[in-house]
Amino acid sequence: MNTIAFIGLGNMGLPMAANLAKAGYTVKGFDLSEASRAAAEGEGIHAVSSLADAVKGADAVITMLPKGEHVVAVYRDLVGLVAAGTLLIDCSTVDVTSARAAHDLAAGKACHSVDAPVSGGTGGAKGATLTFMCGAEAAAFEAARPILEKMGRKIVHCGGAGAGQAAKICNNMILGISMIAVSEAFVLGERLGLSHQALFDVASTSSGQCWALTSYCPVPGPVPTTPANNGYRPGFAAALMLKDLKLSQEAADSAGASTPLGAAATALYDRFATAGSGDRDFSAIVEMLRGSGA
Ligand code: NAD
């Protein structure tokens, strides 16, 4: 596996592709945006102006695209262009149904395929410290692992087709709900005259402890590295949290799972984004709950 085609050179795709180039792969990149293609050239990526040029002679094709509809559309074209046996890895966050449709298209061309969404954000993409959650047959996963290891620190095989996307949306549903829970507790604490630090010191070492509190505290002060200390610049934008929560609710509906807190978190992030805060960090929802933000 020497030559990799990378489709979708946006905020995540560009630094991921750059890490593959740094690791010694020949990387051919394609994005619909001319500006993204130009930025890729400066990162050791051979930017080309069509999907066909990118995938020609590639041993593996990685996609990092906005939504399921984009992934399925690109896979429809891809399977007409690649040789049988090419490894296809989709790293986008998409609905489970689209992920399975992409696997089916790949199987129709006798290609190995992996759904491999990530967590870790743009910082993880730049630093090659992403977590990959993979859904694939064992052989496809083993073929993809050495490539993913050049872009991430933890590579988890979650199960068969779509299992990576399932893990991703379940995890992010926990995150959305727990960020709101932590934010509500800080707002209640404020009304009760409790300092942020006092609540943090207690809850971070008590049964309220969770990642949204100890690593991503939504109020300034207790954890100096969080977006709360930086005007809520993302980080992880509220619009992306809303996207993932909506995917969790679509999946819950189609699988017949009851997720009342997931539904409530989706409604709150929808309100927050609709009020104009979609591009702020998702932890800024504490301001809406306090009544001081959008
Ligand atoms: P982005 O919008 O910055 O990049 C997507 C790129 O895909 C754009 O440059 C766009 O021009 C390109 N594109 C769209 N359709 C195309 C096509 N048919 N052919 C070629 N290029 C095409 O988005 P991003 O932030 O890089 O996110 C990509 C995926 O990663 C999304 O599914 C997102 O949910 C997921 N994700 C993002 C983050 C994050 O922090 N940004 C974190 C985890 C997961």
Side-chain angles (χ1 to χ4, degrees), residues 6-16 30-37 51 63-71 73-74 77 90-94 117-123 125 130 133 165 168 172 234-237 239-241 243-244 247:
F6 208 112
I7 315 303
L9 302 165
N11 292 324
M12 295 292 290
L14 178 57
M16 290 166 71
F30 172 63
D31 194 294
L32 293 177
S33 146
E34 207 178 313
S36 297
R37 296 200 300 270
L51 180 68
T63 39
M64 191 52 163
L65 300 166
K67 292 186 176 165
E69 67 218 52
H70 304 114
V71 173
V74 166
D77 291 341
D90 178 42
C91 295
S92 327
T93 302
V94 305
V118 304
S119 80
T122 51
L130 294 168
M133 300 152 243
Q165 298 294 349
K168 165 83 184 173
N172 278 22
F236 185 51
L240 288 176
M241 173 50 80
K243 173 192 167 186
D244 292 356
L247 290 177

Side-chain angles (χ1 to χ4, degrees), residues 17 23 92 95 101 127 174 180 221 230 232 244 266 273:
S92 327
D95 56 287
I174 296 173
I180 291 168
N230 191 18
Y232 295 102
D244 292 356
T266 308

